Structure formats: C-alpha cells, structure tokens
Amino acid sequence: MKNYLIPIFLLSLLLSACSGTKKSTNTTVVEEKKDSKDSSDIIKIDPLRKSDYKIKVGQKISYSYKEHGSVGISAEYDLSDASVLVFKDKIREFKNPNNAQYPGGDESVITLFFEGGKPGSSNLKITNLFRGKTENEFKFKITVE
C-alpha cells in the first residue's frame, strides 16, 4: 500500500503546478478589466511631460503611482482647494493579484481620480514616500474652466 502513496503525491504536485498556469490567466483578466474601463475623457497626469493642466467642470483627471506597502513605498496627495479639484476615487490594481495575500505580494499600482468641481485653480501635490520619508514631490496646477 505504501507503493501507491508516492505516485499519488507526485500526481498532486503535478496538478498543483498545472493550476499555477491558470493564475496567470487571472492576471490577464484583471488587465483586460483595466483596459476596458471607459477612460476616453479622463486626462492622465504625466509628471515627466507637464505640470499645468486644464479641465472642465465635471471632467476627470487621474494620477497613477506604484505602491508596495510591505517594502515601504507609498505616496500622499494634497490639494490647495478641494472645492475646485475634488477627490473622487482611489483604485488599487495588484501586480500579481493571486499573491496579494502573501508577504511581499502587495505590489500594486494606485490610481487617484479627481474631478473638476467648480471654476478656478487648485494645486495638486504628490509626495512619493519610502518608509515614511519623502523621496520626491511633484506639483501640478490644475485649472478648472
């Protein structure tokens, strides 16, 4: 009877390895959801290209950054006038969603969504942090028309 245990154990290892390929399919599904989101009228802030943006009342603008909390990588935002530029949503997309519950598996991309609330201008400051200390800051002037 002991002779049967080794092949059964090897078969279970093989099956668990095969189920690992299905996990990458789940990641693709998450990426498809991201791409299928209607983002045609959302302006994406690019800190390497410009620092001044103009949007209309009701129009959305977004900023994305990498976050890896278990390592100490994060960011904060600050608005000079929250009635002109209104924070609407924060979406987290894990790099490997199937590993998110494991230590070190929390690497993700955070997207912050803002909306033009009323005409005027507001300064948006993004502070990138590493273990609680400022790594760098990006400042944007958002004008709402």
Side-chain angles (χ1 to χ4, degrees), residues 33-77:
K33 285 181 186 176
K34 179 181 177 184
D35 293 339
S36 68
K37 185 177 180 180
D38 182 26
S39 61
S40 58
D41 64 338
I42 298 175
I43 295 174
K44 295 180 181 176
I45 296 174
D46 182 354
L48 301 177
R49 294 203 171 191
K50 60 193 256 187
S51 60
D52 292 359
Y53 291 86
K54 289 184 181 182
I55 63 173
K56 297 177 181 168
V57 172
Q59 187 175 13
K60 290 188 179 178
I61 189 165
S62 68
Y63 181 83
S64 297
Y65 62 92
K66 291 182 183 179
E67 183 174 271
H68 201 161
S70 62
V71 175
I73 300 169
S74 65
E76 299 174 340
Y77 76 92

Side-chain angles (χ1 to χ4, degrees), residues 15 41 138:
L15 289 174
D41 64 338
F138 297 104

Side-chain angles (χ1 to χ4, degrees), residues 18 22-23 27 37-38 58 81 83-84 91 95-96 139:
C18 290
K22 290 182 181 178
K23 289 181 180 181
T27 303
K37 185 177 180 180
D38 182 26
D81 190 339
S83 64
V84 171
I91 296 178
K95 182 177 180 184
N96 294 307
K139 295 179 182 178

Side-chain angles (χ1 to χ4, degrees), residues 48-128:
L48 301 177
R49 294 203 171 191
K50 60 193 256 187
S51 60
D52 292 359
Y53 291 86
K54 289 184 181 182
I55 63 173
K56 297 177 181 168
V57 172
Q59 187 175 13
K60 290 188 179 178
I61 189 165
S62 68
Y63 181 83
S64 297
Y65 62 92
K66 291 182 183 179
E67 183 174 271
H68 201 161
S70 62
V71 175
I73 300 169
S74 65
E76 299 174 340
Y77 76 92
D78 184 49
L79 294 170
S80 65
D81 190 339
S83 64
V84 171
L85 190 63
V86 181
F87 174 75
K88 285 297 186 180
D89 201 6
K90 175 181 176 180
I91 296 178
R92 175 187 316 270
E93 294 191 44
F94 289 99
K95 182 177 180 184
N96 294 307
N98 296 320
N99 296 332
Q101 72 274 13
Y102 299 114
D106 61 340
E107 184 176 4
S108 59
V109 173
I110 303 291
T111 303
L112 303 173
F113 291 94
F114 302 91
E115 182 176 281
K118 68 177 187 178
S121 67
S122 182
N123 295 316
L124 169 64
K125 181 173 79 170
I126 304 290
T127 306
N128 291 334

